[in-house]
Amino acid sequence: MADAPSGDRGGFGRGFGGRGRGRGRGRGRRDGDGEEKWVPATKLGRLVQQGKIKSLEQIYLFSLPVKEYQIVDYFLGTALKDEVMKIMPVQKQTRAGQRTRFKAFVIVGDSNGHVGLGVKCAKEVATAIRGAIILAKTACIPIRRGYWGNRIGKVHTVPMKVTGYCGSVTVRLVPAPRGAGIVAARTPKKVLQMAGIEDCFTASRGSTKTLGNTVKATFYALAKTYGFLTPDLWKETALTKSPLQEYTDFLSKPVVSGKQ
């Protein structure tokens, strides 16, 4: 069979050859040092860049969707660490044979109540990791921490028993006394450390050797900590305006060449 042109490869649709894609994801301009300057593409991004929003908790309070990873970088900065949990090859059967791509699972966290999980598939390992880090940052969630017994000192464990499910894997997190450490397998332990949990008992069942599902189940369990209504949250909260509503006059102004 004759060699197919680079832009028309069997089983790849229209192919990937011959089309320049610019500088990759997101909008940005390079400044004098060669660093990419963030140009917000969303209303939330504009408010964050101009200092109208003071913390991530203000975003979480109104359940505003975070579409730009630079928003998380802006608030957490150097405190945010990332860890590649697993890189696995996945294959798709095409007319020309198998097409192999790489799937990356990445956890990001500041070890102080924020953690995110990103999963990305790409033709190259580096591209998959880069994309997974970006997705993990946009999926960053707050983790509620509490005490095992008396409320003395800093929060150190999960505030109540929580369970996360993914596939056949079930991960249960149980509060532990101060000094017990994280009693868990290597995978859930890394996720809990990234979230800032110091003491925790865990129980798991199912095919936990499927690392992707185990990471997701642990992440989902941590996400449930703020979904549990405890008596200390019963008091009435005063409703305030959403930042998008509060700064509607500022947002209605047109943006000229990246300037507010």
Side-chain angles (χ1 to χ4, degrees), residues 105-140:
F105 294 85
V106 174
I107 285 283
V108 299
D110 64 348
S111 300
N112 192 25
H114 299 99
V115 71
L117 170 64
V119 184
K120 178 69 176 175
C121 200
K123 289 193 291 183
E124 294 179 9
V125 174
T127 313
I129 293 173
R130 207 177 308 121
I133 290 172
I134 289 171
L135 290 175
K137 286 177 180 177
T138 56
C140 201

Side-chain angles (χ1 to χ4, degrees), residues 43 46-47 52 241-254:
K43 290 180 179 178
R46 287 173 60 193
L47 292 177
K52 306 286 187 186
K241 285 184 179 180
S242 162
L244 298 181
Q245 190 178 2
E246 187 179 348
Y247 299 107
T248 184
D249 293 335
F250 168 79
L251 293 170
S252 63
K253 295 176 185 174

